[in-house]
Amino acid sequence: MINDFYRLEIDVICFSLLLWMISKVHATKNSQTIALLHLSVSYQLLFILTMDIIFHFLNGHPGTSYYTLHLVLRCFFKALTGTLAYVWWAYVLYTINKFKNYTRLLQIVCMLPSIVFIILALSSPQTKWIIDIDPQTNIYHAGTYHYFQSILTYPYYTFAALVALFSIIKTKDSPYIIQAFAFIILPATGGITLLFVPGAQIVWHCLTLSLLFVYCNQQFALISIDELTGLNNRRTFYSHIQTITSEKNGDKNTTYCLCMMDLNLFKQINDTYGHVEGDAALQEASTILKQVFKANDSFLARYGGDEFVVVTNGTPAEAEKLKHTLYTAFTNRNLHTQKPYQLSICFGYAPWTPTSNESVLQVLKQADKALYLEKHRIQDSSSPSI
């Protein structure tokens, strides 16, 4: 009885979390596929938890009407777990940008195990393959072939977790750590617990927590990540500076370089090829910047427009080396691109020590002045870095 009470309490908590997330997603009026998939998973989990709560009161309550209601809801409950498995798989793959690799035909083929299980669940009143409820006592028992649920639906969760794992290993980006926990550890916890403790149905609660982690991670990204380029935004840049200058932060006598960059002739790209192509140019430039600055663990952010800022741990001589590495990367891009325009960037920097009397804004002005001089140097020369 105590276990049933705690199970009911957890159901109600997860039910409330789902309602909160659904209301928040609806409030944004976001019609993107990722938002619609999030809502689809949320609604299905909401219905599953609702029926799970009802089962607390129906199971073992004799009577023809109660038995009929119990049987219908159990069939619908099992069928919904089949659709949820497929939608969860699609949601995970879409979140980590892997769903586009699947053609429409392959998506339909991947849907087949889910469809087979739904048919088995809905036919259970006659076959008792998945569900078996005693008409006299109205007590639920697993059907003869109840293990088909594990065979036909659990691979969706397993495959989604593996794809997420390989994606994390490949990218090694810190935001994916949250998604690792959400897409791998939590569903695995629910599945393994059910495997060793058959009565512990916590899969739906784990999936609810997974959705919550992903939702919160996405909301954090909205305020800290630049949507177009995927880089840190200006707000996060100043937050990073504040962390460095904090008394709790390591050695504040470390020398840094604040580097300002902007794309050359970016307005010309916008005016000639349109703003859509201009956005694509910014994204391509951001990819090059990530590749160059990731190697030395620098902090990279989009400052605004076609301007970027980097906080790098090192001397001006090391910043100078970074500048030439960056110019070389853009030159290589121009040698191999099929785009009708060239991409190049200017780089200016100024040394900064957190304990100095100069404010960050003063150092940024120095870096901006160095950037201005660098731009004139490039314009007045025939340098291959243009």
Side-chain angles (χ1 to χ4, degrees):
M1 188 67 184
I2 294 176
N3 289 337
D4 287 343
F5 174 78
Y6 285 129
R7 172 77 178 276
L8 182 61
E9 190 175 33
I10 294 171
D11 280 348
V12 171
I13 291 171
C14 290
F15 182 90
S16 303
L17 287 173
L18 287 166
L19 277 181
W20 176 77
M21 281 189 286
I22 289 171
S23 66
K24 291 295 183 182
V25 175
H26 272 302
T28 63
K29 297 181 180 179
N30 189 346
S31 60
Q32 292 182 328
T33 305
I34 188 67
L36 296 177
L37 283 170
H38 189 285
L39 280 174
S40 180
V41 174
S42 298
Y43 273 119
Q44 290 182 63
L45 280 170
L46 193 70
F47 289 135
I48 285 173
L49 289 172
T50 300
M51 286 183 282
D52 199 39
I53 292 171
I54 294 172
F55 294 152
H56 283 283
F57 304 100
L58 279 180
N59 197 46
H61 200 297
T64 304
S65 57
Y66 291 118
Y67 166 75
T68 303
L69 179 61
H70 194 183
L71 184 62
V72 170
L73 288 180
R74 282 285 181 183
C75 289
F76 185 59
F77 175 88
K78 288 294 184 181
L80 203 53
T81 63
T83 63
L84 176 62
Y86 175 80
V87 177
W88 175 263
W89 167 80
Y91 173 66
V92 173
L93 265 61
Y94 207 94
T95 302
I96 58 177
N97 297 317
K98 295 296 182 182
F99 197 71
K100 60 186 178 182
N101 298 335
Y102 290 77
T103 63
R104 178 66 63 180
L105 178 61
L106 189 55
Q107 291 173 29
I108 294 172
V109 171
C110 291
M111 201 184 295
L112 290 178
S114 175
I115 293 173
V116 170
F117 179 72
I118 292 169
I119 293 171
L120 291 175
L122 294 178
S123 64
S124 282
Q126 288 77 35
T127 63
K128 301 187 185 298
W129 285 349
I130 307 297
I131 299 161
D132 184 10
I133 300 178
D134 190 327
Q136 303 301 320
T137 61
N138 197 24
I139 294 177
Y140 164 76
H141 302 283
T144 309
Y145 301 110
H146 65 93
Y147 51 83
F148 274 27
Q149 180 172 7
S150 302
I151 295 172
L152 295 172
T153 65
Y154 284 14
Y156 286 106
Y157 300 108
T158 304
F159 185 75
L162 289 174
V163 172
L165 178 62
F166 289 135
S167 178
I168 293 160
I169 293 172
K170 185 177 179 180
T171 61
K172 297 180 180 178
D173 285 341
S174 57
Y176 280 88
I177 295 174
I178 299 290
Q179 293 183 0
F181 186 71
F183 293 146
I184 301 171
I185 299 174
L186 284 170
T189 300
I192 292 171
T193 302
L194 184 62
L195 184 66
F196 290 100
V197 188
Q201 286 275 3
I202 63 167
V203 174
W204 323 123
H205 311 106
C206 288
L207 293 184
T208 300
L209 290 177
S210 294
L211 275 185
L212 181 64
F213 272 99
V214 174
Y215 176 78
C216 291
N217 190 46
Q218 290 170 346
Q219 295 308 301
F220 175 76
L222 288 175
I223 62 172
S224 62
I225 303 296
D226 177 65
E227 185 177 4
L228 177 64
T229 62
L231 300 177
N232 298 298
N233 59 21
R234 185 189 291 210
R235 174 178 176 164
T236 313
F237 163 70
Y238 283 114
S239 177
H240 180 71
I241 292 294
Q242 204 168 28
T243 301
I244 292 175
T245 56
S246 169
E247 292 182 358
K248 297 177 182 178
N249 198 66
D251 184 7
K252 293 195 294 182
N253 293 314
T254 301
T255 300
Y256 296 88
C257 278
L258 299 189
C259 314
M260 294 289 293
M261 300 164 286
D262 72 3
L263 294 178
N264 296 319
L265 304 176
F266 178 68
K267 185 177 183 300
Q268 186 176 324
I269 295 173
N270 261 338
D271 293 344
T272 306
Y273 302 102
H275 290 283
V276 173
E277 191 59 45
D279 286 349
L282 281 172
Q283 290 170 331
E284 189 177 4
S286 299
T287 300
I288 296 172
L289 291 171
K290 287 178 189 175
Q291 291 169 348
V292 170
F293 292 108
K294 190 176 182 179
N296 71 332
D297 200 28
S298 298
F299 183 89
L300 172 65
R302 184 185 179 192
Y303 200 67
D306 63 332
E307 291 183 317
F308 303 89
V309 62
V310 166
V311 182
T312 181
N313 187 339
T315 62
E318 290 170 312
E320 190 70 23
K321 290 180 183 178
L322 273 176
K323 180 179 77 172
H324 291 294
T325 302
L326 183 64
Y327 286 175
T328 300
F330 273 89
T331 300
N332 289 337
R333 176 268 176 198
N334 293 332
L335 290 174
H336 300 96
T337 187
Q338 295 181 346
K339 296 279 188 178
Y341 53 82
Q342 301 280 290
L343 272 183
S344 62
I345 199 165
C346 274
F347 184 100
Y349 59 87
W352 172 63
T353 305
T355 53
S356 67
N357 293 325
E358 289 182 305
S359 69
V360 172
L361 287 177
Q362 288 175 316
V363 179
L364 282 175
K365 283 182 180 179
Q366 293 174 23
D368 196 46
K369 184 178 179 181
L371 174 66
Y372 177 79
L373 294 173
E374 177 72 2
K375 195 173 280 284
H376 276 276
R377 182 194 71 78
I378 289 178
Q379 288 173 353
D380 296 339
S381 71
S382 57
S383 170
S385 61
I386 301 178

